[in-house]
Amino acid sequence: MTADVSAARPSRDAGVILMGGVAAFCVYLSMYAFRKPFAAAAYEGVVGWSAVVDFKVALVVAQVVGYALSKLAGVKLISELNGARRGAAILGLIGVSWLALVLFAVVPPGWKVFALFLNGLPLGLIWGLVFSYLEGRRTSEVLGAILCASFIVASGVVKSVAVWLMTDRGVTEWWMPAATGLLFMPLLALSVAGLSRMPPPDAADIAERVERRPMYAAQRRDFLRRYGFGVLMLVLAYVMLTALRDFRDNFAAEIWIELGYEGVSSVFTASELPVAAISLAALGALMLLRDNRQALMAIHAITGFGLALIGLSTVAFQHGLLAPLPWMIASGAGLYLAYTPFNAMLFDRLIAATRQVGTAGFLIYLADASGYLGSVVLTLTRNLATVSMPWLSFFMASAVWSSIIGCVLTIISAVYFSRKLR
């Protein structure tokens, strides 16, 4: 009987990876079609907008504020999630965000900013809902890497579709976000149905990765009391990574224009596909490490390498050693190698290494709520404090400083957890 179970295990794992990985990837890819298409338009010279803040910056900040508030609420909501009706919740929340995009198309400029705030408000909970299907498994690294690859690829794919709708199909920049979301609705519905059919973690998963249950206020306080300093170092590093990643994502169109790629819609996808492949391979391989403490240290090493790559590739570009496209690929690879683990495998392994029954969603949302606050601050800093600084120059300066400070914080965290979990 034991032999039969052992023989069946690889087949079950492969089935979970295929079903869960593809479904989770498609759900989050589809979500991006409701969150990011507006960023492909410049929104210059908007009639009726006279505020000091640039109109597109106001849109970005409004959406991120809504998204950040959703993440803040998720610290409690996702931590205490019991798993019931997750699929319906995903469809309902994204449906509300699409209605906000329709509102964005028809209201005056000032109200368009408010519409983007409403659009971001429900979307911050989607990641936690999707990842709750994947965490606590022996295959969680592969599943998490596939899921994380979705947001690496999704932004470029969605922007390419958005530019195509405007340039080839004649859709206005106001209706383009809602039209992009509409195109992805069938894929969203099918992939949510597939995700809902995933089997729960089995006994072998629970034995190795700890049982995942809701974490209520008392359990959350207890975890932070024990491991708060290390979590703080990680969260501070993630704040910078989120701010840098969001700035690169939201203002990719402006950065590519300054690099000489104006109107080239394919460049968004061409620059992100290699990044996704590199991140997927490196992070998925962590599944081979069964010891949770060793895996946690390996994730710190990958994060530190990614942070170093951001800075080194940027300095190389500044000195003419890298062309624009290779630099965007190299800095993007470094950014996502450092950023991606925080969204899945880092906190999943931390929960497993501490052997505390709980959910990685708590730590993911604690980091995310802080990270998107950093994103708002960085965007406003560029627009208000250094308004004359070009997008490209501001991004390069931010990349170098984030690389240096982030490496220091990651090293401190690695030393702390290495001693704490010994």
Side-chain angles (χ1 to χ4, degrees):
M1 184 67 177
T2 303
D4 291 340
V5 172
S6 299
R9 180 75 205 194
S11 176
R12 181 186 188 276
D13 287 347
V16 168
I17 290 171
L18 182 61
M19 174 190 288
V22 171
F25 180 96
C26 291
V27 169
Y28 215 69
L29 173 69
S30 300
M31 187 281 286
Y32 256 68
F34 299 82
R35 183 184 171 209
K36 286 296 184 180
F38 84 94
Y43 298 110
E44 296 176 341
V46 176
V47 177
W49 181 259
S50 57
V52 175
V53 179
D54 178 81
F55 183 70
K56 184 174 179 180
V57 171
L59 293 179
V60 169
V61 171
Q63 190 194 53
V64 172
V65 168
Y67 201 72
L69 288 175
S70 186
K71 294 290 186 182
L72 188 61
V75 174
K76 175 178 172 62
L77 296 177
I78 298 299
S79 300
E80 299 178 3
L81 182 71
N82 63 14
R85 301 184 63 80
R86 288 174 292 183
I90 292 171
L91 293 174
L93 290 167
I94 293 180
V96 171
S97 76
W98 183 75
L99 292 176
L101 293 180
V102 174
L103 184 67
F104 172 79
V106 299
V107 296
W111 286 101
K112 291 183 189 298
V113 174
F114 180 67
L116 259 289
F117 167 78
L118 294 179
N119 167 260
L121 198 56
L123 294 180
L125 295 173
I126 302 300
W127 180 268
L129 289 168
V130 175
F131 188 68
S132 68
Y133 287 96
L134 311 182
E135 72 166 305
R137 304 173 187 269
R138 297 199 299 176
T139 56
S140 286
E141 274 79 22
V142 175
L143 291 167
I146 294 172
L147 175 59
C148 291
S150 68
F151 64 66
I152 301 172
V153 173
S155 184
V157 170
V158 165
K159 290 190 184 77
S160 294
V161 172
V163 171
W164 171 76
L165 284 171
M166 290 187 293
T167 58
D168 291 10
R169 310 308 298 175
V171 179
T172 68
E173 60 185 358
W174 306 117
W175 277 105
M176 171 271 291
T180 304
L182 191 63
L183 289 177
F184 281 82
M185 280 185 179
L187 177 62
L188 173 66
L190 287 172
S191 51
V192 168
L195 195 60
S196 297
R197 296 186 64 182
M198 279 189 71
D202 63 15
D205 291 322
I206 293 172
E208 187 166 308
R209 297 296 180 90
V210 183
E211 185 177 0
R212 303 308 164 98
R213 294 179 186 169
M215 289 181 78
Y216 298 101
Q219 288 92 347
R220 297 196 295 268
R221 285 195 299 269
D222 179 62
F223 189 92
L224 292 179
R225 186 173 64 250
R226 295 187 185 191
Y227 306 105
F229 179 78
V231 171
L232 176 62
M233 295 299 101
L234 291 173
V235 167
L236 290 176
Y238 186 68
V239 167
M240 291 187 298
L241 285 167
T242 303
L244 186 66
R245 179 251 180 185
D246 244 32
F247 187 88
R248 180 182 184 271
D249 196 26
N250 288 323
F251 300 103
E254 288 77 7
I255 293 171
W256 280 116
I257 288 171
E258 292 187 24
L259 289 171
Y261 287 83
E262 184 173 4
V264 184
S265 62
S266 62
V267 74
F268 294 105
T269 303
S271 62
E272 302 304 281
L273 283 176
V275 170
I278 293 168
S279 300
L280 180 63
L283 298 171
L286 289 168
M287 188 183 75
L288 300 175
L289 289 175
R290 295 300 187 191
D291 183 279
N292 292 309
R293 181 175 172 276
Q294 290 179 1
L296 185 63
M297 292 302 103
I299 294 169
H300 276 80
I302 291 173
T303 300
F305 174 78
L307 283 160
L309 183 57
I310 295 169
L312 292 173
S313 63
T314 301
V315 171
F317 172 71
Q318 290 172 325
H319 288 81
L321 301 176
L322 279 178
L325 184 58
W327 168 60
M328 285 293 276
I329 292 174
S331 61
L335 178 57
Y336 281 104
L337 278 172
Y339 174 84
T340 301
F342 287 87
N343 293 272
M345 53 286 299
L346 172 57
F347 293 130
D348 187 66
R349 285 287 195 165
L350 180 55
I351 291 290
T354 62
R355 305 304 298 174
Q356 284 197 228
V357 173
T359 172
F362 161 55
L363 295 172
I364 291 172
Y365 271 74
L366 184 66
D368 259 351
S370 305
Y372 282 99
L373 173 62
S375 178
V376 172
V377 170
L378 184 67
T379 301
L380 290 177
T381 297
R382 186 271 166 199
N383 194 71
L384 298 178
T386 55
V387 69
S388 61
M389 195 173 191
W391 298 104
L392 179 59
S393 299
F394 187 80
F395 174 70
M396 289 190 293
S398 300
V400 172
W401 280 108
S402 296
S403 173
I404 295 170
I405 299 173
C407 280
V408 173
L409 292 170
T410 302
I411 291 170
I412 294 173
S413 172
V415 172
Y416 172 84
F417 282 115
S418 177
R419 294 178 176 177
K420 189 78 171 177
L421 301 174
R422 185 172 298 165

